[in-house]
Every structure is written in C-alpha cells, then in structure tokens.
Amino acid sequence: MQLDPASGWCQGIAHCPSPNFNERPAGEISLLVVHNISLPPAQFGTGNVQAFFQNRLDVTEHPYFEGIADLRVSAHFLIERDGAVTQFVSCRDRAWHAGISRFEGRETCNDFSLGIELEGTDDLPYTDAQYASLTELTRQLLTAYPDITAQRICGHSDIAPGRKTDPGPAFDWARFRSALQDGGHT
C-alpha cells in the first residue's frame, strides 16, 4: 500500500467510498484514533461494516441493526481479520468516526484526526495479519502527516471515555507501539 498525500487515498488497497464525510475545517491532521467494529457484534467477514459506512445496511438482516439504522458514520480505514485494508474516506476529508470526543482539551476530534477501524471486539484478540496491516498503514500515515506523533495515537476510549471502550483490552498497545519503533515487524 502507498498513501498519496495529495489525494489522501492509499493505492494498493480496496476503496469503498462513503458518503459520510465532509471537509476538514482547517485541513489539520494531527491525531490517529484506533477503533473496533463488527456487525453484527462479534461476527466477522460479513460485509456489513462496508454496507453500514455506505448507508446500505439491510436493517432486517439482524435485530442489532435496528438500533443503528439511522446512524451516519464512517472511518478512513477498516482492517479486516485477514489484514485486508479498505479505505472509505480520503485522509484529506473529515470522516465521522469519533463522535463527541476530546483530546488534550480539544473537542470534536473528527476535525483533526484519522480513524482506523479494526474488525473485532473489545475482548477477542486481534489477528497477526491485523497488527501487520495496522503497522504498515500507520507508518504510511506518520510519514505523510508528521503532526501525528507516537503520543498522538490513541484509542476511541481515550477520546470518549465513559462513552466508548474500543479498541478494548484485547488490543495489544505495547505490541503495536513496539512494531512501529522497530521498523514494522510484529
């Protein structure tokens, strides 16, 4: 994969454009937020995340979907269990992933952040393939957007405490941070 900073799109990965984005108010990109998602919860490889981010989710398919039917959300990237990466929104644009949020006293993190969703749950281990793809993608983002530093990579739970818990205790922050420092080996 190769990020083109001019367009904000990664080449060499799947693109699944979402309508759920808008322009960044100041163009700033200085925070990376790691999330998790699975639809239905704890079911993987369903294609429902992609449908959800494109407002095409069949709400009759599962009872859980009725509660999220009216949500309009997206993220910049999704990393599936097998490590496949899909991009939904250009990095230059504001994806709707963080919601009500605050980082270092600053609210509305969507304005200045990138969001990466890992297919998973708070308490099921993430896969080796996901850590490898996350590390490779993050290294691309750190190179393209130098205002994102190691200290400015966090979980959704860090910017929305009490409201969000992802990526959860199953996410191995030490493994991820170590891989970033040692050249990307997980």
Side-chain angles (χ1 to χ4, degrees), residues 1 32-35 77-80 82-85 114-119 126-142 153-154 167 171-173 175-177 179-180 184 186:
M1 83 181 72
L32 179 62
V33 182
V34 179
H35 303 260
F77 301 95
L78 168 69
I79 301 175
E80 296 179 73
D82 64 0
V85 181
L114 298 173
I116 300 176
E117 295 275 3
L118 298 174
E119 187 178 36
Y126 297 93
T127 67
D128 291 344
Q130 285 180 297
Y131 283 107
S133 291
L134 177 62
T135 300
E136 182 181 355
L137 176 58
T138 301
R139 291 180 76 71
Q140 291 276 327
L141 298 174
L142 293 174
I153 300 173
C154 65
F171 185 72
D172 189 340
W173 282 103
R175 175 183 180 175
F176 173 49
R177 291 188 189 286
L180 286 176
T186 57

Side-chain angles (χ1 to χ4, degrees), residues 22-67:
N22 57 358
E23 188 176 323
R24 289 184 188 278
E28 175 189 350
I29 301 170
S30 62
L31 181 68
L32 179 62
V33 182
V34 179
H35 303 260
N36 75 36
I37 191 169
S38 54
L39 293 173
Q43 293 185 30
F44 308 129
T46 63
N48 288 321
V49 173
Q50 292 87 334
F52 182 48
F53 287 171
Q54 290 191 311
N55 306 331
R56 299 183 299 103
L57 188 64
D58 179 357
V59 297
T60 65
E61 187 179 315
H62 191 276
Y64 180 81
F65 296 167
E66 293 171 14

Side-chain angles (χ1 to χ4, degrees), residues 13-17 50 75-80 83-88:
I13 62 172
H15 294 168
C16 188
Q50 292 87 334
H76 293 91
F77 301 95
L78 168 69
I79 301 175
E80 296 179 73
V85 181
T86 301
Q87 186 169 4
F88 296 90

